[in-house]
Amino acid sequence: MPMQLRTRNLLAAAMLSAGVVMGASAATVDGALDQGVNRANKAQQSQQKIDSVDNSIRAQEREYRGLVKEIDGLNVYVTQLNKQLKAQQDELASIEASIKNVTLVERQITPLMLRMIDAIDQFVAADVPFLAEERSKRVANLKNMMGRSDVTVAEKYRKVTEAYQAEVDYGRTIESYRGTLATNGQSREVDFLRVGRISLMYQSLDGQELGVWNTAANQWEPLDASFKSKLMAGIRIAREQAAPDLIKVPVAAPTSAQQETK
C-alpha cells in the first residue's frame, strides 16, 4: 500500500476513535450531572423534612413549657383551695358544735326572757304613768312574740333588750308630748312634760291648769301657778324650740325625809 494512503487511513481511524471516546465521555458527564441533581433534590427534601421536624419539635417544646407553667399555676391554686377547704371544714365543725348547743341555750334563755318581760310589765305598772299606752303595748307585743314559732330566739332576745334599753333611756331624757288625761271622771287633751323619772307634769291646752304626778300618793295633784313659766320653758326645751337650760321642777321628797320632817 502506498505510504500516503496508509497514513490517511490511520488518521481516519484515529479520528473515529476520538469521536467514540468523546461520545462516551459526554454520556458519562450527563449521567453524573443527573445523579448530582438527584442528590441535590434529595438533600433539599431531606433538609425540608429536617426543618419541618425541627419546627414541630420547637412548637411541642413551647406547648410543653406552657403546660408546665399552667400546671405550676394549678398546683398553687389547688394548694390555696385546700387551705380554704380546711378553714371551711373547721368552721363547719364549729357550726355543728354550736347547733348541738342551740337546744340547751333555748331551754335556758327562754325562761330568762319571760322573767324579764314580767319584770318590765310590773315596772311599767308601778312607774310614773308617762306614755302608759305605748309602754303597755310594747310589753303586750313582747308577750305575744314569745309564743310565736316564726321568730328566732335571737330576735326575741333582741326585742326584749330593746325594751329594756327604751326604759333605761326614759330615765335620762326630757320629753314633751300631747296626750289624754283622765281626772275626776273626765278626759281632756293636755301637754305633758317628763323630766327623766323625777318629775311628770302637765299643762292644759289653755295654760290655765297645771298638775304634777305625786309618786308617793300615786295620783295627780294640782301644781302651783309659780311653776307655770318653768313648765312652759321645759316644754319648749323638750320640743327643741329653745336652747337647753336649767329649769326648776317639783320633785317629791323621799318617804324617809318626810317622816323625819313630821
Side-chain angles (χ1 to χ4, degrees):
M1 177 180 296
M3 179 62 68
Q4 185 175 4
L5 178 60
R6 189 169 62 180
T7 302
R8 183 179 299 171
N9 291 337
L10 289 173
L11 289 174
M15 291 180 64
L16 287 173
S17 298
V20 171
V21 172
M22 291 181 63
S25 299
T28 301
V29 170
D30 290 341
L33 290 175
D34 290 339
Q35 291 178 358
V37 171
N38 290 333
R39 284 196 298 270
N41 290 336
K42 290 180 179 180
Q44 185 177 5
Q45 291 175 359
S46 298
Q47 186 62 44
Q48 290 176 349
K49 289 181 180 180
I50 292 172
D51 293 341
S52 177
V53 171
D54 182 66
N55 292 335
S56 178
I57 291 174
R58 291 180 182 276
Q60 291 178 0
E61 182 182 4
R62 288 193 297 269
E63 183 179 0
Y64 171 77
R65 290 179 179 177
L67 290 174
V68 169
K69 184 178 294 185
E70 184 177 354
I71 290 173
D72 291 340
L74 289 175
N75 288 333
V76 174
Y77 181 65
V78 169
T79 301
Q80 186 64 27
L81 286 181
N82 288 334
K83 292 180 181 179
Q84 295 179 0
L85 180 60
K86 179 64 169 56
Q88 291 175 353
Q89 289 174 344
D90 294 341
E91 184 177 359
L92 180 60
S94 176
I95 292 174
E96 289 177 348
S98 299
I99 291 174
K100 292 179 181 179
N101 296 327
V102 166
T103 303
L104 177 61
V105 172
E106 288 185 358
R107 286 201 302 264
Q108 294 176 344
I109 199 171
T110 298
L112 172 63
M113 289 189 291
L114 291 173
R115 291 194 298 270
M116 293 172 68
I117 294 173
D118 288 339
I120 294 179
D121 192 9
Q122 296 174 10
F123 180 77
V124 170
D127 196 19
V128 179
F130 61 89
L131 301 174
E133 182 178 354
E134 176 182 327
R135 297 165 72 195
S136 297
K137 184 177 180 180
R138 182 186 295 123
V139 174
N141 290 337
L142 290 176
K143 291 181 177 180
N144 179 64
M145 178 191 65
M146 292 303 296
R148 294 174 55 183
S149 60
D150 60 332
V151 181
T152 63
V153 174
E155 179 66 13
K156 292 177 181 178
Y157 185 77
R158 186 180 69 83
K159 290 291 186 182
V160 172
T161 54
E162 282 182 353
Y164 266 81
Q165 186 61 51
E167 292 295 331
V168 171
D169 291 340
Y170 288 141
R172 57 191 182 191
T173 57
I174 181 173
E175 179 183 17
S176 176
Y177 62 94
R178 182 162 295 182
T180 302
L181 176 67
T183 56
N184 301 322
Q186 296 180 350
S187 297
R188 61 190 185 280
E189 292 289 321
V190 297
D191 289 326
F192 290 97
L193 175 65
R194 175 186 60 79
V195 181
R197 280 191 166 87
I198 63 175
S199 183
L200 178 63
M201 301 167 283
Y202 75 85
Q203 173 181 267
S204 60
L205 299 184
D206 58 8
Q208 299 302 313
E209 182 181 347
L210 307 178
V212 62
W213 177 257
N214 188 327
T215 304
N218 198 33
Q219 64 181 10
W220 289 102
E221 293 182 351
L223 182 62
D224 189 86
S226 61
F227 282 95
K228 182 176 182 178
S229 60
K230 285 83 173 178
L231 177 57
M232 294 179 65
I235 291 175
R236 289 195 297 270
I237 292 173
R239 292 176 177 175
E240 297 183 351
Q241 296 174 348
D245 197 1
L246 295 175
I247 58 174
K248 183 178 179 181
V249 297
V251 179
T255 302
S256 57
Q258 291 178 350
Q259 291 174 350
E260 291 176 1
T261 301
K262 291 180 179 179

